[in-house]
Amino acid sequence: MTPVELSRTVLGAVRRAVDDGVLAVAVPERVKVTAPGPGGCGDYATNIALQLARPAGEPPLHVAEILRTRLVGRDGVRDVVVTGPGFLNITLADAAGVDLVAEILRRGPRYGFVDQPGGEAVELRAPCEVRAVVVMDVVARLLRSQGVAARTSFGVSTSTGCEGGLPVGEWMSVLGVQGGVGEGAASGEASSSPPRTVTIQPVPAPASPLHLGRDAARWALLHPAAHDRPRISDEHLVQREGNPLFRVRYAHARIRAVSRNAADLGFRAEPGGVEPDGGPARPGGTLTPPTDTPAGSDGTPTHTGVPIPDAPHAQLRGDEMPARTRIGTSPGSMDPVATPHPLLHPLADHPRVLAQAAAHRAPDRLARHLVSVADAVLLLLPSVLPRGAEKPSAAHRARLALAEAAGAVLAGGLSLLGIDAPEHL
């Protein structure tokens, strides 16, 4: 169950409570669900009871209990707990994470895309400035991914140049901009409705990014929010942990390498429950290069080390992780429970991120989301392959499936940003 589906489930509980006459409120248009905060539990939490308490004239805890009884037992919901002044903490059914991973692997990089056109048409316009044109290019890709027919255009003074004198040809050849083109929705069918005109005008780039090359230049222009001034510097080329673009591309390359290693060891991805690996921690402060392991070795990628002082990705054993992020255990307990892997949250949230990035014309939301996915999967990867004489098990196959699902999300997201998702790095 994705956050969007869970939001609809909670909204349905509110609607049933109103229909039953136990809540006298107007049914809201949407319900926001998030990861549980301090003191919370389960997979997701919502403060909808607190929002409805005042208009209902009821204590928040009473409203929360009304909604809890209408959520427990619904498809995909395993348990609902009320905490604090009236927060609903929802635990999904055990199979929810397995189904999510299977769905992502089935859809591949198109996970989160809308396959059917929605009948909407948008014409995007931008001033002839490099950042505006690149952002417009990505917004068009995002809109098409959500079933919207999008066209792009920008002001030109001649057939080969823009206002300001920078040739359009360089933007197309170096940055991959598809200027002045129109395409239909994701299905390839164009909308018959009149297009809605939208102007894209972020804070201009302070300098030309062309010397950075396509991937780094696009990231430098897209990662900051539209109202922020982008930094055009060589920092986007540095292959170190402090560079978010490197982390995202590195994570994808590492996932591909792990998949190749798994094939050499004779096993493949199968969605399932992900438990703690229980193996020894690797030395902290380094990111393992995504180098293919020679056949016949123990299956662990060569640890030559990319020195990164105090890296937040230092690999930890399950018993060394903080209680709230420990894989397969609940806070304050070392007993295995159905707690989902932390990576499942950003994976499940990917369709919502794409929809919001398209609706708000904000590619930066997608860029930041990809960083979150990359950071989460880098913690998982050291436990995917068997160690030493260990034989591949169902747990290894499940971890590989989860990692490959993250790889599909990273590949699809980078493609929308117009950035290469490398097989090797």
Side-chain angles (χ1 to χ4, degrees):
M1 180 181 293
T2 67
V4 173
E5 293 170 336
L6 180 59
S7 175
R8 293 170 183 161
T9 299
V10 177
L11 191 61
V14 175
R15 188 172 291 109
R16 288 191 299 276
V18 172
D19 293 342
D20 293 343
V22 294
L23 277 183
V25 296
V27 179
E29 292 184 1
R30 61 185 297 270
V31 173
K32 184 178 181 180
V33 295
T34 63
C41 59
D43 302 327
Y44 294 97
T46 177
N47 64 350
I48 185 62
L50 301 176
Q51 297 177 25
L52 298 178
R54 182 183 293 273
E58 300 284 353
L61 286 174
H62 180 61
V63 176
E65 182 60 26
I66 290 174
L67 298 179
R68 188 194 71 82
T69 59
R70 286 162 174 79
L71 282 171
V72 172
R74 304 299 297 180
D75 289 344
V77 176
R78 185 165 68 93
D79 193 20
V80 182
V81 176
V82 179
T83 60
F87 292 103
L88 289 167
N89 297 261
I90 304 168
T91 301
L92 301 181
D94 295 352
V98 177
D99 293 342
L100 173 66
V101 172
E103 172 67 10
I104 297 174
L105 294 179
R106 184 183 68 83
R107 296 293 305 275
R110 292 184 61 83
Y111 166 65
F113 284 32
V114 175
D115 292 328
Q116 298 299 322
E120 183 181 2
V122 174
E123 181 174 349
L124 300 173
R125 295 180 179 176
C128 200
E129 185 273 327
V130 63
R131 188 186 187 199
V133 172
V134 170
V135 170
M136 179 178 64
D137 175 68
V138 175
V139 170
R141 296 170 188 241
L142 288 166
L143 288 170
R144 292 167 193 146
S145 78
Q146 300 304 298
V148 178
R151 295 179 59 89
T152 62
S153 63
F154 50 87
V156 293
S157 55
T158 71
S159 60
T160 59
C162 286
E163 297 168 356
L166 187 64
V168 177
E170 287 189 275
W171 293 355
M172 298 178 68
S173 61
V174 178
L175 300 181
V177 170
Q178 301 173 351
V181 299
E183 294 183 14
S187 67
E189 298 180 17
S191 170
S192 59
S193 61
R196 175 169 54 94
T197 301
V198 176
T199 300
I200 305 295
Q201 194 164 4
V203 172
S208 171
L210 295 178
H211 68 283
L212 298 177
R214 175 171 176 167
D215 293 337
R218 291 181 76 100
W219 184 269
L221 299 173
L222 296 168
H223 184 250
H227 58 268
D228 291 333
R229 186 182 179 90
R231 298 179 58 167
I232 308 301
S233 70
D234 291 346
E235 66 186 70
H236 302 290
L237 299 173
V238 177
Q239 297 198 29
R240 303 280 288 189
E241 183 269 345
N243 178 5
L245 172 61
F246 169 69
R247 292 209 306 276
V248 172
R249 298 180 77 242
Y250 171 86
H252 182 268
R254 178 87 184 273
I255 292 167
R256 299 303 304 142
V258 167
S259 295
R260 291 190 293 268
N261 295 159
D264 290 341
L265 294 172
F267 74 97
R268 63 181 182 178
E270 292 182 12
V274 177
E275 300 293 337
D277 65 354
R282 290 188 176 274
T286 60
L287 289 177
T288 307
T291 305
D292 289 2
T293 303
S297 69
D298 64 358
T300 304
T302 306
H303 189 71
T304 58
V306 177
I308 302 169
D310 303 322
H313 307 303
Q315 293 85 2
L316 300 176
R317 296 192 303 267
D319 59 355
E320 291 178 343
M321 291 185 180
R324 288 193 59 78
T325 60
R326 191 172 297 145
I327 303 170
T329 60
S330 60
S333 170
M334 291 302 295
D335 298 326
V337 295
T339 301
H341 191 283
L343 179 55
L344 289 172
H345 287 295
L347 295 185
D349 208 29
H350 186 62
R352 184 193 66 83
V353 171
L354 292 184
Q356 291 295 311
H360 295 279
R361 303 177 292 282
D364 58 288
R365 298 191 181 194
L366 174 57
R368 291 194 298 272
H369 176 67
L370 296 182
V371 175
S372 299
V373 173
D375 289 345
V377 76
L378 283 170
L379 290 173
L380 168 71
L381 291 178
S383 66
V384 171
L385 298 175
R387 300 169 184 265
E390 189 179 10
K391 300 295 183 182
S393 66
H396 294 110
R397 292 190 289 273
R399 294 172 197 149
L400 179 61
L402 182 56
E404 290 186 352
V409 167
L410 293 176
L414 286 172
S415 176
L416 288 172
L417 296 179
I419 296 174
D420 177 56
E423 292 283 319
H424 305 269
L425 190 62

